[in-house]
Amino acid sequence: MTGPITSTLNPEQQKIAGDALQGTLVDMIDLSLIAKQAHWNVVGPQFRSLHLALDEIVTAARTYTDEVAERLTAIGVSPDGRATTVAQDSGTKGFGAGWTKDEQVVASITDNLSAVIGRLRERIAATDEADPVTQDLLIAQTAGLEQTHWMWQAQLA
């Protein structure tokens, strides 16, 4: 099916913005799944505070996912959030199975946030000329994740 939604971007701009957004979509979906897996499996003295903080990451990542998917649609690109696409294309570090000690959860979440932020910064640079609107969305999401990263990283100090 050809796209029913057209874009005001030219084809090159649409490709650059679409690629950046699609990559962000899968990273955000995976980040929400990682945080939820950690939420269910964290154990240790910091259990309660981490359990609650992990849900904050899930909520933010799901909000960011929807913003990105809607931007993709607005520029005429069909979002692909299927599990197989996420598994194949995500740039997160992942999260292990089973019960996980609180300090390991903090380290893993910090590493995953760092990975997602690094990829977002690459996409910010890539969209500079092609689509400032997409770039602005990515900048805002990066700012939110950097604040979260700082708070999680502080627990490792």
Side-chain angles (χ1 to χ4, degrees), residues 51-64:
H51 187 75
L52 298 173
L54 286 160
D55 266 346
E56 292 173 1
I57 293 174
V58 171
T59 299
R62 287 178 178 168
T63 298
Y64 294 163

Side-chain angles (χ1 to χ4, degrees), residues 10-144:
N10 70 42
E12 181 183 353
Q13 293 169 320
Q14 184 187 37
K15 169 93 169 96
I16 291 167
D19 288 350
L21 290 163
Q22 179 59 39
T24 302
L25 182 75
V26 298
D27 284 352
M28 292 301 177
I29 291 169
D30 205 16
L31 182 61
S32 72
L33 295 171
I34 287 166
K36 196 47 108 167
Q37 179 69 16
H39 169 88
W40 294 323
N41 286 284
V42 62
V43 294
Q46 297 181 70
F47 164 79
R48 177 121 173 96
S49 62
L50 293 179
H51 187 75
L52 298 173
L54 286 160
D55 266 346
E56 292 173 1
I57 293 174
V58 171
T59 299
R62 287 178 178 168
T63 298
Y64 294 163
T65 298
D66 197 48
E67 292 171 351
V68 167
E70 288 180 359
R71 180 68 188 150
L72 274 162
T73 302
I75 65 167
V77 178
S78 175
D80 186 355
R82 296 172 299 158
T84 55
T85 304
V86 173
Q88 177 181 324
D89 297 342
S90 177
T92 64
K93 300 292 183 184
F95 190 84
W99 307 118
T100 308
K101 289 292 291 175
D102 48 9
E103 60 271 355
Q104 292 172 298
V105 169
V106 173
S108 178
I109 293 299
T110 301
D111 287 347
N112 277 289
L113 287 166
S114 182
V116 172
I117 290 165
R119 287 170 50 105
L120 277 166
R121 287 195 162 276
E122 291 171 7
R123 295 175 188 127
I124 289 168
T127 55
D128 181 44
E129 297 285 323
D131 185 18
V133 176
T134 291
Q135 184 189 48
D136 186 55
L137 175 64
L138 300 176
I139 288 169
Q141 291 185 357
T142 302

